[in-house]
Amino acid sequence: MVKTKLTANDLFDIHSVTAPVISPDGQRVAYITTTIDEKKNTYFSKLWVTQSNGAQKSVAWTTGEERISNVTWSPSGNHLSFLSTRNEKNQLFVLSAHGGEAQKITSLPFGVQSYEWDPSETKLWFTATYHEEHGWEDEKKDDKKDDFPKPYIAGKMKYIQDGNGLVKQDRFNQIGTVNIDTKEVSKWSDTSFSQHLHTISPDGKKFVVSEHPKEDDDVFENTLYLVDVDSKERQELTQENGSYYGARFSPDGNYIGFIGSHRTYENATHADLYVYAMEQQAVQNLTESVDAPVGDYVVADIQQGASAPSLVWTEENHVYFQVSTHGDVRIYMTTLEGEMYPVTQEGEHVYGYDVSKDGKHLVLTVSSPVSPGEVYTQTVATGERTPLSAHNAEFLSTKNIYTPEPIIFEGPNGWEVHGWIIRPEEAKNKKVPLVTNIHGGPHAFYANTFFHEMQLLANKGYGVLYINPRGSHSYSQEFVDAVRGDYGGNDYLDIMAAVDYALETYDWIDKERLGVTGGSYGGFMTNWIVGHTDRFKAAVTQRSISNWISFYGVSDIGFYFTEWQIQGDMNDVEKLWDHSPLKYASQVNTPLLILHGENDLRCPIEQAQQLYITLKRMGKETEFVRFPQADHNLSRTGLPNLRIERLHQITGWFEQYL
């Protein structure tokens, strides 16, 4: 079959295959696929079930127009449960593992955030938003005056949130139960602050919960508590200040594993795997010797609703977990004695997984630079894999997909920097332009995963360079922390060193036709680059930061993120201005396209407005494109038609100027 060039519209043909869970008997695997409905301009999911040995094709167990998440087998394996948006809000549904229709179990006004099966299987425990006056009942409207606009009083600094708008200050999370047969809902929490349920002991007598005070402007930590379900007596599990999540009981109930970080380096701090021993009442950090973060911090644009457990226990009290390491996400296993090793291979992104009770088999969702992702089962002892799905087989068989070449080069201080370069087929006969693409975060990373945007640029005839400069995750703690207080310093030099390396190594690059783009932190860096060098002939900045002084007060994370990352505040305005790309606008000579979502509260659109008006007034070559109904996640989860238009804007600008 002749393969055709990949296009922006191929987003509609890619299946996001996510969230695999293995049944308690190890015989079946459930997972989710998400695709884009072009006509309805939205995303829909399906729940699939297949045999874990690959002997049977996957069967869709749902077919509705909905988004599905949090798929879980009941303890006996007799039921599958999941959250669904088929009634707008995320509600809890239970489906017999023997067939039939899914039964809606909750009808809460704000939906369900997460849930756990009670060992008895007569009820489910959940965490949901609770109204301090109306509780879990619909708010009553007494007269038409309730339809009139009302002022919003911001009582704290954390009063806005990207993707959600104004924070409802009369709401907080509470824990409750719902009876499967009667659907009767009962409230367990009796607090006036947020609680979140993490895990239930095998005998159903103990919980692990986290708590968050309502007035939390300067609180970025949380505490995990072990709580008696009946008496509500509790003891603290986390014996060091930090941020902790994802607690899970071991099958024998003697241990609790959880993930967390002490925040010595604020949000750049590596996460670790901790285990609390019930008998000794002591916590042990099992990954203290691993100089890489536990978890998945990959930047990508395909995996819709991807989720993975924080950790998984086996019957032998072995623990499996994800580690972001040198551009990969791999599954590691550790014993309680600290014997640890990776159980998945290099060169890939394992973005979902589960483990059989006996620890003999993994079920994985895996992406690589040339595959959006499928479900596999893997034998732990041998590493042998069996594919369980082929949802993207047709797409891959008909489209031209490039294999990125890994590169390693030397940045400032002699540090090794890792990245990838893609050579388009046009480079066989002539020199081609090179586009450098910079990720956001900055504490995220590019990985050995499928990236539609990179493939699109290569299929348009551009060389594509993307790297993990200092500040990126999956490397050492020193490396990820190095960007803080140095925005526009050695991180900028890492990117310039990458371009130098590419030009010295690959003779197919036209050094006179260099482009640069990036979003969020990558947008900041794009702005910084065009204000400090003229070597790029075209640039596209997306959802960017241009002015740290105004960012401090308008972003939903501005006041603390600025202090953590720039290491300055409004008492040191000169420092904020020195790190602001807007200061260097007069030095910009590169044609700059500015893309920004109108509902972005993480990097508010005023950042783009300031930059555009300043450059325009100075007579610079620039254009400004505003995306309605788009928040900070436009490129990943935004309205599909706007995602397509964004890609057209990027490639169109480079076509015009490169």
Side-chain angles (χ1 to χ4, degrees):
M1 181 180 293
V2 177
K3 293 188 176 183
T4 60
K5 284 187 174 293
L6 180 142
T7 68
N9 281 48
D10 284 323
L11 272 177
F12 298 122
D13 297 324
I14 298 175
H15 296 256
S16 175
V17 186
T18 61
V21 286
I22 193 166
S23 61
D25 64 7
Q27 299 301 306
R28 292 191 285 184
V29 174
Y31 62 93
I32 301 168
T33 62
T34 303
T35 54
I36 299 174
D37 187 308
E38 184 175 3
K39 291 182 178 179
K40 296 189 176 182
N41 200 32
T42 191
Y43 305 84
F44 291 132
S45 304
K46 290 182 181 179
L47 170 64
W48 298 78
V49 176
T50 189
Q51 296 293 318
S52 59
N53 61 8
Q56 178 186 355
K57 286 187 177 181
S58 300
V59 177
W61 280 28
T62 64
T63 57
E65 295 182 347
E66 59 188 322
R67 291 297 299 269
I68 293 174
S69 60
N70 294 66
V71 176
T72 305
W73 294 93
S74 66
S76 68
N78 288 326
H79 297 90
L80 265 175
S81 52
F82 56 92
L83 298 180
S84 170
T85 62
R86 64 179 66 177
N87 299 107
E88 295 187 2
K89 298 291 184 182
N90 248 349
Q91 302 294 353
L92 182 54
F93 287 75
V94 172
L95 178 64
S96 171
H98 307 292
E101 291 293 324
Q103 300 297 310
K104 182 182 174 186
I105 303 300
T106 61
S107 299
L108 300 177
F110 312 115
V112 174
Q113 295 181 15
S114 63
Y115 68 93
E116 296 285 331
W117 278 93
D118 188 85
S120 69
E121 293 198 24
T122 61
K123 60 185 177 181
L124 292 120
W125 295 83
F126 62 83
T127 301
T129 302
Y130 189 84
H131 192 284
E132 63 183 13
E133 180 181 353
H134 302 287
W136 282 321
E137 300 294 331
D138 287 326
E139 296 181 45
K140 303 294 191 297
K141 292 189 175 183
D142 298 326
D143 54 52
K144 292 183 179 180
K145 289 184 178 180
D146 283 340
D147 293 330
F148 296 166
K150 298 179 178 64
Y152 176 90
I153 301 174
K156 55 185 181 180
M157 290 183 285
K158 294 181 184 175
Y159 73 95
I160 55 173
Q161 187 177 64
D162 186 61
N164 293 317
L166 294 171
V167 174
K168 305 294 185 181
Q169 300 187 46
D170 53 2
R171 301 174 190 177
F172 48 98
N173 294 334
Q174 296 283 264
I175 299 167
T177 64
V178 57
N179 184 285
I180 293 177
D181 294 327
T182 66
K183 302 181 179 57
E184 180 182 356
V185 170
S186 301
K187 182 167 173 282
W188 178 85
S189 297
D190 56 7
T191 65
S192 59
F193 50 85
S194 284
Q195 287 188 319
H196 186 93
L197 174 64
H198 290 253
T199 186
I200 302 171
S201 62
D203 62 9
K205 295 180 179 181
K206 300 284 187 181
F207 281 163
V208 176
V209 303
S210 58
E211 297 184 351
H212 302 270
K214 293 180 72 174
E215 301 298 329
D216 61 351
D217 276 336
D218 293 311
V219 176
F220 303 96
E221 301 169 343
N222 69 298
T223 304
L224 295 181
Y225 294 97
L226 178 63
V227 182
D228 185 276
V229 173
D230 294 328
S231 69
K232 299 187 180 178
E233 292 183 1
R234 65 184 190 170
Q235 63 185 89
E236 186 175 334
L237 291 184
T238 46
Q239 299 170 2
E240 183 180 15
N241 289 339
S243 178
Y244 303 98
Y245 55 93
R248 309 303 301 173
F249 270 99
S250 62
D252 60 15
N254 293 329
Y255 300 93
I256 302 168
F258 57 91
I259 310 300
S261 60
H262 47 70
R263 299 190 68 85
T264 301
Y265 308 97
E266 297 298 357
N267 63 325
T269 309
H270 278 173
D272 282 304
L273 167 64
Y274 296 86
V275 168
Y276 176 87
M278 300 284 281
E279 184 177 347
Q280 292 81 12
Q281 297 187 12
V283 174
Q284 181 183 2
N285 182 349
L286 293 184
T287 55
E288 190 171 13
S289 63
V290 179
D291 198 6
V294 173
D296 180 352
Y297 302 89
V298 170
V299 173
D301 61 358
I302 292 302
Q303 288 93 28
Q304 291 289 328
S307 63
S310 57
L311 57 99
V312 176
W313 290 92
T314 66
E315 292 171 332
E316 294 181 336
N317 282 340
H318 294 168
V319 188
Y320 290 75
F321 56 100
Q322 292 171 302
V323 176
S324 291
T325 171
H326 288 85
D328 296 329
V329 177
R330 304 178 70 185
I331 304 301
Y332 275 61
M333 188 282 290
T334 184
T335 65
L336 293 175
E337 293 72 34
E339 179 185 353
M340 185 182 307
Y341 56 86
V343 293
T344 59
Q345 63 197 34
E346 296 179 337
E348 62 185 21
H349 175 201
V350 181
Y351 58 91
Y353 75 103
D354 200 3
V355 188
S356 62
K357 285 185 174 182
D358 59 14
K360 294 182 178 180
H361 296 92
L362 301 172
V363 58
L364 311 167
T365 44
V366 182
S367 177
S368 74
V370 295
S371 171
E374 298 288 356
V375 185
Y376 301 84
T377 185
Q378 176 178 314
T379 302
V380 172
T382 64
E384 182 181 358
R385 285 185 183 172
T386 300
L388 300 184
S389 72
H391 294 282
N392 288 301
E394 182 178 355
F395 164 75
L396 292 174
S397 69
T398 59
K399 293 297 176 180
N400 181 47
I401 306 297
Y402 287 100
T403 301
E405 177 187 339
I407 60 173
I408 297 177
F409 57 93
E410 185 176 298
N413 312 118
W415 287 11
E416 281 192 349
V417 182
H418 178 210
W420 295 262
I421 193 165
I422 303 177
R423 176 185 177 178
E425 59 182 344
E426 287 83 355
K428 294 177 181 178
N429 303 314
K430 61 180 180 180
K431 289 183 180 291
V432 299
L434 180 72
V435 174
T436 300
N437 204 323
I438 308 168
H439 69 66
H443 308 310
F445 71 102
Y446 285 137
N448 283 304
T449 195
F450 190 84
F451 212 122
H452 173 263
E453 182 177 320
M454 306 300 185
Q455 293 289 339
L456 175 64
L457 288 167
N459 275 271
K460 286 286 188 178
Y462 303 106
V464 185
L465 174 66
Y466 54 110
I467 72 161
N468 288 326
R470 64 197 64 204
S472 303
H473 260 315
S474 85
Y475 306 96
S476 70
Q477 181 65 81
E478 181 182 19
F479 190 89
V480 72
D481 184 56
V483 71
R484 295 198 311 130
D486 191 37
Y487 272 46
N490 283 325
D491 53 348
Y492 163 69
L493 296 179
D494 279 344
I495 296 167
M496 293 301 100
V499 175
D500 291 337
Y501 173 86
L503 293 176
E504 293 167 4
T505 307
Y506 304 101
D507 59 9
W508 48 265
I509 299 172
D510 186 343
K511 65 180 181 180
E512 300 301 324
R513 292 190 290 164
L514 301 179
V516 63
T517 186
S520 196
Y521 165 81
F524 158 84
M525 185 53 66
T526 300
N527 296 341
W528 185 269
I529 285 171
V530 297
H532 287 78
T533 179
D534 292 341
R535 69 189 305 183
F536 295 94
K537 301 308 176 187
V540 182
T541 184
Q542 309 166 54
R543 58 188 187 281
S544 71
I545 297 172
S546 66
N547 183 353
W548 288 103
I549 297 173
S550 61
F551 179 85
Y552 188 93
V554 298
S555 167
D556 64 343
I557 63 171
F559 69 96
Y560 59 88
F561 186 85
T562 304
E563 293 171 7
W564 293 350
Q565 295 293 314
I566 304 302
Q567 298 183 347
D569 58 21
M570 296 301 285
N571 292 311
D572 192 358
V573 174
E574 289 186 6
K575 183 174 186 178
L576 301 188
W577 186 237
D578 287 342
H579 285 279
S580 297
L582 193 64
K583 175 180 179 179
Y584 310 98
S586 63
Q587 300 170 197
V588 174
N589 297 309
T590 304
L592 180 65
L593 175 64
I594 303 170
L595 307 180
H596 219 106
E598 293 186 348
N599 294 347
D600 192 335
L601 296 179
R602 184 62 37 89
C603 296
I605 197 169
E606 61 86 29
Q607 295 287 304
Q609 291 170 316
Q610 291 187 69
L611 183 62
Y612 172 70
I613 293 299
T614 299
L615 292 176
K616 200 71 172 175
R617 189 62 171 171
M618 290 178 174
K620 308 293 185 177
E621 187 68 28
T622 185
E623 286 185 11
F624 181 23
V625 181
R626 303 167 64 109
F627 293 86
Q629 302 179 52
D631 60 24
H632 198 63
N633 289 303
L634 167 63
S635 65
R636 298 177 286 269
T637 60
L639 288 172
N641 74 303
L642 296 182
R643 290 181 65 187
I644 299 297
E645 181 59 30
R646 168 187 166 273
L647 293 171
H648 287 328
Q649 290 289 337
I650 294 169
T651 56
W653 191 259
F654 288 138
E655 287 169 6
Q656 181 178 352
Y657 288 99
L658 296 184

